[in-house]
Amino acid sequence: QVQLVESGGGLVQAGGSLTLSCADSGLSLNRYTVGWFRQAPGKEREFVAVISSRAGVTYYRDSVKGRFTVSRDNAKNTVHLQMSDRKLEDTAVYYCAAKHTFDAYPSAPSHQYWGQGTQVTVSS
C-alpha cells in the first residue's frame, strides 16, 4: 500500500527558499509518477509540478517555472520540490500525489495516492 508523507513545510519570507519532500513507506515511489499540487484557502487544488517515474521528465505550471524544481532521490525513495524566490501567492497547503501513468499537466483526480499535505506560508 502506498502511503505518502510530505515534510518540510513552514513559514518562509518572500524571496526565500524552502524544500518539500515526499516519501513513501509502502511501495517504491520510484515506480510512480509523482505530482505536486497546492490548495490555497477558498481556492481549488491546482497542479504545481510533476516528475515521471523513469526518465525523470518534469513539467511545471507557468507561475512556478524557473523558481521550483522537482527531483527524485531514488536511493531514499523520495521526491523533492525545491522552491526558491517565494511569493506571497505561493502560500497554500502542498500535497504530493502518485499515479501509475504520466501526463504533462495532470489533473488532481487522476492520482490514486495522496499525502496528507504540508502547510507553506510565505510572509512579506
Side-chain angles (χ1 to χ4, degrees):
Q1 183 177 358
V2 177
Q3 295 179 315
L4 303 181
V5 178
E6 302 97 339
S7 61
L11 178 65
V12 62
Q13 285 191 324
S17 299
L18 198 66
T19 298
L20 304 181
S21 298
C22 176
D24 166 37
S25 60
L27 300 176
S28 174
L29 204 55
N30 303 337
R31 299 186 297 176
Y32 293 83
T33 288
V34 175
W36 285 95
F37 293 80
R38 66 187 181 186
Q39 188 166 18
K43 295 187 177 181
E44 293 186 353
R45 191 168 300 188
E46 64 182 19
F47 164 76
V48 176
V50 64
I51 185 166
S52 67
S53 60
R54 297 185 182 276
V57 176
T58 59
Y59 285 92
Y60 304 88
R61 70 179 297 107
D62 287 345
S63 62
V64 307
K65 285 180 181 177
R67 301 190 297 120
F68 289 14
T69 301
V70 60
S71 62
R72 288 185 176 274
D73 184 340
N74 290 333
K76 296 184 178 180
N77 201 31
T78 303
V79 173
H80 301 289
L81 182 67
Q82 295 174 277
M83 305 178 292
S84 61
D85 189 23
R86 300 308 305 276
K87 303 181 185 300
L88 296 179
E89 54 265 35
D90 293 327
T91 294
V93 177
Y94 283 71
Y95 300 87
C96 67
K99 56 186 287 189
H100 295 283
T101 58
F102 177 75
D103 296 302
Y105 301 99
S107 65
S110 67
H111 291 73
Q112 291 83 34
Y113 309 104
W114 287 86
Q116 81 288 349
T118 185
Q119 177 70 48
V120 174
T121 303
V122 182
S123 64
S124 58

